[in-house]
């Protein structure tokens, strides 16, 4: 299903005039340099195609397809690195001494010519790099020899006349030697035209690709047609944590993965065309900011079976809403400008879902019955692991994600976002003081599954949030919102004795829940202490919060006795005493122990009461606020 869906998405992208996606026989590559060749076959100069940023980035270009080359010598057509284009390579000193400087035995001796060396690196021409250059030259002669084109003849003359040992003697290559040998791709420019963009060269390449004789034919599992089978599938790039050169989603490298004597991808025959379509579509999605988010160690890509992009942008906004900018903070990745129109769309959808209405085409910009796909990928050495795969209509998906945000609604600071991203929610499970926040990869998949299926939230995430509140002695609107959402869904499913009507967005003074009242009581006692001495370093929060939320019968008698000393000294003592009496009116006795659900109600009561102390007015549900 995954590969079939990606192939269909490629067909959608190919028919969209606004999308630049490689055609069959081509792929997107990062190109660093253009080598300008004169008509008589000399290297005139080198053009740096990289961006002018502090860390230069290569230019994305559509070039003849660059298939994966895990091993062996395999040149690419009119776009390759310095090892193939010039026959030169740079290696680390330790690697050089291990591979090239051991002449004690015949099998270790390797023919090589050192061009330049220092304590760390060695630039050299050796048998393997010279073979790479020769096969590169042979490939281009076999494809281009029959063309009557002056620019092509000049390019072939350059290859015929190039000597790898003269790499550092040429002033053009010496100027860029370090960058060229770093592995960046080079293309060729002749008379102001890129060689790979010339129609004659493209036609020659396409003819050559279609007439390759080493193809094995079999029935494709995707199309059902008898076609040439892809022996090795293209690498997938852009998954966080995976190898920068790309990783495989379909591969066979062990006898245990093979059957009936078939090797590599012949075990699951997918045609070259289908392989090209699904890998190109997936790489396109991973390169698009509008079609991907990150959840823990998982890179999530999503797409709709339509050329309309508004629904994908809407889903991206729901999953990863922008944080309100703070003047004192600078976003390294660039300022995220809030889209007022998008905010109003989200508000309209949330209000519809709240009153039980269905979203329609006007709300989301496309037919609500359109299929929508979500794919979660995580790194696994040189491969990719599929964490989850979800298919639903875009209408149902929007409703489920909107319901999640409605369940998470909680009274908050005015600068707090209305919708909380999954990334920010998961970050609440790790110490906020940690420089490197490592979120459990399991939690990411569990929370997303709960959102997409509309089921209860994972107890492991709930327990992790409770633990952080106890350890930190503080609860913010993100933690409080999730605790409320967890208890709400638990009650809604009939798995708890809690009344969902008592689980509210803001302070509920009428609630008869004892744990909720005890949380309010702890907040009132804490305020009574702070009113006496605001500069106090050690408060009841740091000493007693964890035990008060777990074993109130042990802690609260001590806290009430201590509070009387603070109330007697405070000028607001009467108000504090009055509030404490009002809260205790609904508590017959202090429970000896609170289970996990009751601990959540305790923390919710604590959070609501504190917000009531410091909030002048509550934010109405229908008020337009920053997301």
């Amino acid at each position: 299903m995954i590969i079939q869906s990606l192939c269909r998405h490629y067909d959608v992208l190919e028919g969209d005039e606004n999308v630049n996606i490689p055609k069959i026989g081509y792929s997107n590559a990062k190109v660093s340099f253009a080598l300008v060749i004169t008509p008589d076959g000399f290297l005139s100069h080198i053009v740096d195609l990289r961006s002018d940023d502090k860390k230069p980035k290569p230019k994305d270009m559509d070039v003849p397809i660059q298939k994966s080359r895990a091993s062996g010598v395999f040149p690419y057509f009119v776009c390759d690195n310095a090892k193939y284009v010039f026959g030169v390579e740079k290696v680390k000193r330790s690697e050089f001494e291990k591979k090239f400087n051991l002449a004690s035995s015949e099998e270790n001796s390797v023919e090589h010519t050192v061009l330049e060396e220092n304590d760390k690196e060695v630039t050299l021409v050796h048998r393997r790099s010279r073979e790479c250059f020769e096969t590169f030259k042979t490939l281009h002669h076999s494809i281009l020899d029959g063309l009557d084109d002056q620019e092509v003849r000049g390019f072939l003359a350059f290859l015929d006349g190039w000597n790898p040992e003269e790499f550092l003697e040429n002033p053009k290559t010496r100027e860029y030697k370090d960058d060229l040998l770093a592995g960046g791709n080079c293309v060729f420019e002749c008379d102001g035209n890129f060689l790979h963009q010339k129609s004659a060269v493209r036609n020659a390449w396409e003819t050559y690709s279609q007439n390759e004789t080493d193809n094995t034919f079999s029935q494709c599992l995707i199309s059902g047609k008898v076609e040439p089978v892809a022996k090795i599938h293209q690498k997938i790039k852009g998954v966080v944590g995976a190898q920068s050169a790309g990783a495989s989603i379909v591969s066979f490298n062990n006898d245990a993965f093979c059957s009936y004597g078939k090797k590599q991808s012949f075990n699951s025959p997918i045609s070259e065309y289908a392989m090209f379509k699904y890998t190109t579509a997936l790489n396109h999605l991973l390169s698009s900011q509008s079609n991907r988010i990150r959840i823990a160690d998982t890179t999530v890509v999503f797409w709709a079976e339509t050329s309309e992009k508004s629904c994908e942008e809407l889903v991206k906004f729901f999953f990863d809403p922008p944080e309100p900018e703070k003047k004192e903070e600078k976003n390294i990745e660039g300022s995220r400008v809030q889209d007022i129109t998008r905010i109003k769309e989200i508000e309209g959808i949330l209000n519809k879902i709240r009153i039980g209405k269905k979203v329609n085409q006007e709300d989301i910009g496309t037919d609500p019955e359109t299929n929508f796909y979500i794919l979660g990928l995580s790194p696994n050495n040189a491969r990719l692991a599929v964490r989850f795969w979800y298919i639903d209509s875009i209408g149902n998906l929007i409703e489920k994600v909107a319901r999640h945000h409605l369940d998470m609604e909680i009274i908050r600071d005015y600068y707090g976002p209305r919708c909380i991203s999954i990334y920010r929610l998961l970050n609440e499970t790790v110490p906020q003081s940690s420089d490197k926040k490592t979120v459990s990869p399991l939690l990411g998949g569990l929370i997303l599954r709960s959102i997409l299926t509309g089921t209860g939230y994972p107890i492991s995430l709930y327990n992790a949030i409770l633990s952080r509140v106890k350890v930190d002695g503080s609860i913010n609107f993100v933690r409080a919102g999730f605790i409320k959402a967890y208890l709400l869904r638990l009650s809604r499913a009939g798995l708890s004795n809690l009344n969902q009507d008592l689980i509210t967005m803001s302070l509920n003074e009428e609630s008869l829940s004892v744990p909720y009242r005890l949380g309010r009581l702890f907040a009132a006692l804490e305020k009574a202490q702070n009113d006496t001495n605001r500069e106090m370093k050690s408060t009841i929060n740091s000493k007693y919060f964890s035990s008060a939320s777990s074993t109130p019968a042990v802690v609260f008698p001590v806290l009430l006795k201590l509070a009387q000393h603070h109330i007697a000294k405070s000028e607001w003592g009467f108000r504090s005493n009055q509030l404490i009496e009002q809260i205790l009116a609904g508590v017959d006795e202090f429970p000896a122990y609170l289970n996990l659900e009751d601990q959540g109600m305790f923390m919710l009561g604590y959070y609501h009461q504190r917000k009531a102390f410091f909030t002048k007015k509550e934010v109405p549900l229908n008020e337009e606020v920053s997301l």
Side-chain angles (χ1 to χ4, degrees):
M1 282 296 294
I2 297 175
I3 294 178
Q4 290 95 324
S5 302
L6 287 167
C7 286
R8 289 197 299 271
H9 187 60
Y10 175 85
D11 293 334
V12 172
L13 294 173
E14 187 181 29
D16 190 345
E17 297 179 352
N18 299 320
V19 177
N20 181 22
I21 191 166
K23 307 301 181 184
I24 183 69
Y26 298 86
S27 62
N28 186 272
K30 297 185 180 298
V31 181
S32 300
F33 299 97
L35 308 181
V36 182
I37 308 298
T38 63
D40 50 356
F42 291 97
L43 177 62
S44 171
H45 56 282
I46 298 176
V47 179
D48 192 340
L49 299 177
R50 298 172 297 176
S51 62
D52 295 330
D53 302 334
K54 291 183 178 179
K55 186 177 181 181
K57 296 181 180 179
K59 183 177 181 179
D60 290 326
M61 302 182 77
D62 286 340
V63 300
I65 192 167
Q66 297 188 338
K67 296 182 179 180
S68 302
R69 48 187 181 197
S71 61
V73 177
F74 188 84
Y76 296 144
F77 184 62
V78 294
C79 177
D80 216 321
N81 59 42
K83 187 176 180 180
Y84 283 86
V85 174
F86 297 109
V88 180
E89 187 178 9
K90 178 184 284 188
V91 298
K92 293 182 179 179
R93 187 80 194 184
S94 57
E95 183 180 351
F96 170 76
E97 292 175 351
K98 181 179 180 180
K99 289 185 176 181
F100 303 105
N101 229 18
L102 297 177
S104 57
S105 64
E106 184 177 348
E107 62 178 281
N108 283 330
S109 62
V110 180
E111 300 174 8
H112 64 273
T113 302
V114 175
L115 304 183
E116 189 176 64
E117 61 181 316
N118 54 42
D119 293 338
K120 296 182 179 180
E121 297 172 319
V122 178
T123 301
L124 74 160
V125 178
H126 57 90
R127 189 170 60 218
R128 186 60 174 258
S129 66
R130 190 178 285 106
E131 182 185 359
C132 290
F133 170 71
E134 292 298 331
T135 54
F136 182 79
K137 180 169 64 174
T138 301
L139 171 69
H140 287 81
H141 272 293
S142 65
I143 298 175
L144 301 176
D145 269 347
L147 295 184
D148 184 16
D149 185 287
Q150 183 179 1
E151 296 171 7
V152 171
R153 288 198 299 270
F155 167 66
L156 295 176
F158 162 74
L159 294 180
D160 292 335
W162 177 257
N163 182 3
E165 277 78 5
E166 296 176 356
F167 179 78
L168 294 182
E169 298 176 12
N170 187 304
K172 308 302 180 184
T173 52
R174 185 171 184 84
E175 180 183 356
Y176 290 99
K177 63 182 179 68
D178 293 329
D179 293 324
L180 285 170
L181 296 174
N185 282 322
C186 301
V187 293
F188 299 89
E189 181 180 332
C190 303
D191 197 22
N193 301 312
F194 286 125
L195 201 62
H196 65 277
Q197 293 178 351
K198 287 178 63 67
S199 58
V201 174
R202 291 170 71 94
N203 291 336
W205 162 249
E206 291 165 11
T207 301
Y208 171 81
S209 300
Q210 294 171 3
N211 295 330
E212 285 184 291
T213 59
D214 60 345
N215 289 327
T216 300
F217 286 77
S218 182
Q219 185 178 32
C220 175
L221 295 175
I222 308 302
S223 66
K225 301 176 182 178
V226 176
E227 297 176 306
V229 176
K231 183 179 179 181
I232 299 175
H233 290 213
Q234 292 301 301
K235 301 289 187 182
I236 306 302
K237 301 178 181 180
V239 175
V240 177
Q243 294 181 357
S244 58
S248 299
I249 197 171
V250 176
S251 67
F252 299 81
N253 75 324
N254 226 318
D255 290 341
F257 307 144
C258 302
S259 58
Y260 299 102
K262 295 182 178 180
K263 298 294 184 181
Q264 293 185 310
S265 296
F266 298 129
N267 285 270
S268 57
I270 297 175
S271 68
E272 287 277 0
Y273 188 38
M275 180 277 292
F276 169 79
K277 288 169 69 174
Y278 96 79
T279 54
T280 303
L282 185 51
N283 280 320
H284 176 81
L285 290 168
L286 286 165
S287 66
S288 170
Q289 292 289 343
S290 301
N291 293 88
R292 77 166 194 264
I293 59 172
R294 181 183 175 186
I295 299 177
D297 73 331
T298 303
T299 300
V300 182
V301 292
F302 44 85
W303 68 95
E305 209 167 65
T306 176
S307 58
E308 295 288 340
K309 290 297 179 185
S310 57
C311 59
E312 295 174 354
E313 294 170 357
L314 185 65
V315 171
K316 165 79 173 182
F317 204 91
F318 261 121
F319 277 134
D320 190 25
E323 296 285 340
E325 296 178 6
K326 295 181 180 180
K327 294 181 179 179
E328 66 273 13
E329 293 183 358
K330 292 183 179 180
N331 191 338
I332 297 176
E333 298 180 356
S335 176
R336 300 179 70 179
V337 180
Q338 295 195 51
D339 186 347
I340 303 302
T341 303
R342 182 68 70 193
I343 290 174
K344 290 182 178 180
E345 289 179 11
I346 298 292
E347 289 288 338
I349 292 172
L350 290 175
N351 289 331
K352 264 196 168 184
I353 303 301
R354 181 182 287 109
I355 61 178
K357 287 187 177 182
K358 292 281 187 180
V359 295
N360 54 38
Q361 187 162 350
E362 295 179 357
D363 298 320
I364 60 178
T366 191
D367 183 2
E369 298 302 318
T370 301
N371 284 339
F372 199 90
Y373 306 92
I374 301 178
L375 174 63
L377 299 171
S378 60
N380 183 19
N381 294 327
R383 291 168 184 75
L384 298 177
V386 176
R387 277 292 173 86
F388 48 81
W389 169 241
Y390 176 82
I391 307 173
D392 202 348
S393 67
I394 179 65
N396 286 340
L397 173 70
I398 291 292
E399 290 178 7
K400 289 173 181 175
V401 179
R403 175 54 58 188
H404 159 72
H405 288 300
L406 289 174
D407 289 344
M408 286 276 295
E409 275 190 329
I410 196 79
I411 185 171
R412 63 200 183 285
D413 298 320
Y414 291 111
Y415 59 81
R418 175 71 173 275
C419 297
I420 307 299
S421 67
I422 299 175
Y423 180 82
R424 180 167 183 179
L425 173 59
L426 291 174
N427 272 346
E428 293 297 335
T429 64
V430 296
Q432 301 304 296
S433 58
S434 175
D435 293 333
K436 186 177 181 180
K437 298 181 179 181
T438 306
V439 177
S440 168
L442 295 177
L443 292 180
L446 291 174
I447 183 64
L448 190 61
R449 186 176 293 110
S450 297
I451 294 171
L452 297 178
T453 58
T455 56
Y457 294 107
I459 190 172
S460 52
L461 178 57
Y462 175 72
N463 200 13
I465 294 288
L466 294 187
S467 298
R468 288 314 322 161
V469 174
K470 291 179 183 178
V471 172
D472 297 342
S474 64
I475 178 170
N476 55 28
F477 68 95
V478 180
R479 295 174 177 178
F482 179 74
I483 291 173
K484 176 221 169 199
Y486 176 87
L487 297 174
L488 197 58
R489 290 202 175 185
L490 204 65
S491 175
R492 193 181 294 149
L495 301 175
S496 169
N497 295 325
L498 297 173
N499 185 347
Q500 61 177 317
D501 295 332
L502 299 179
I503 306 172
T504 56
M505 176 181 170
S506 57
L507 179 63
N508 183 4
E509 295 182 343
E510 305 302 321
S511 175
L512 298 178
S513 168
V514 172
Y516 184 83
R517 283 183 171 264
L518 292 180
R520 292 181 58 201
L521 177 61
F522 193 90
L525 297 174
E526 182 183 28
K527 187 174 185 301
Q529 184 184 38
N530 288 335
D531 287 343
T532 304
N533 185 358
R534 295 185 180 276
E535 298 180 359
M536 188 179 299
K537 294 182 179 180
S538 179
T539 66
I540 63 171
N541 183 296
S542 59
K543 290 184 177 181
Y544 297 104
F545 185 87
S546 179
S547 53
S549 62
S550 304
T551 55
V554 176
V555 177
F556 273 102
V558 177
L559 295 180
L560 286 172
K561 183 177 180 181
L562 181 65
Q564 295 306 312
H565 298 287
H566 299 305
I567 291 173
K569 299 177 182 179
S570 173
E571 56 182 301
W572 296 286
F574 175 76
R575 292 182 182 178
S576 298
N577 206 41
Q578 192 176 41
L579 178 60
I580 292 171
E581 290 177 359
Q582 175 203 338
I583 295 172
L584 285 173
V587 180
D588 295 330
E589 62 177 348
F590 295 118
Y593 174 77
L594 296 182
N595 60 28
L596 288 179
E597 295 171 26
D598 291 337
Q599 289 178 36
M601 287 298 293
F602 178 96
M603 295 175 186
L604 202 57
Y606 173 76
Y607 176 81
H608 281 162
Q609 188 62 63
R610 279 185 58 83
K611 296 307 294 183
F613 287 144
F614 302 107
T615 304
K616 293 182 180 179
K617 70 170 184 176
E618 296 182 1
V619 181
L621 289 179
N622 59 353
E623 182 178 332
E624 293 182 2
V625 295
S626 298
L627 291 181

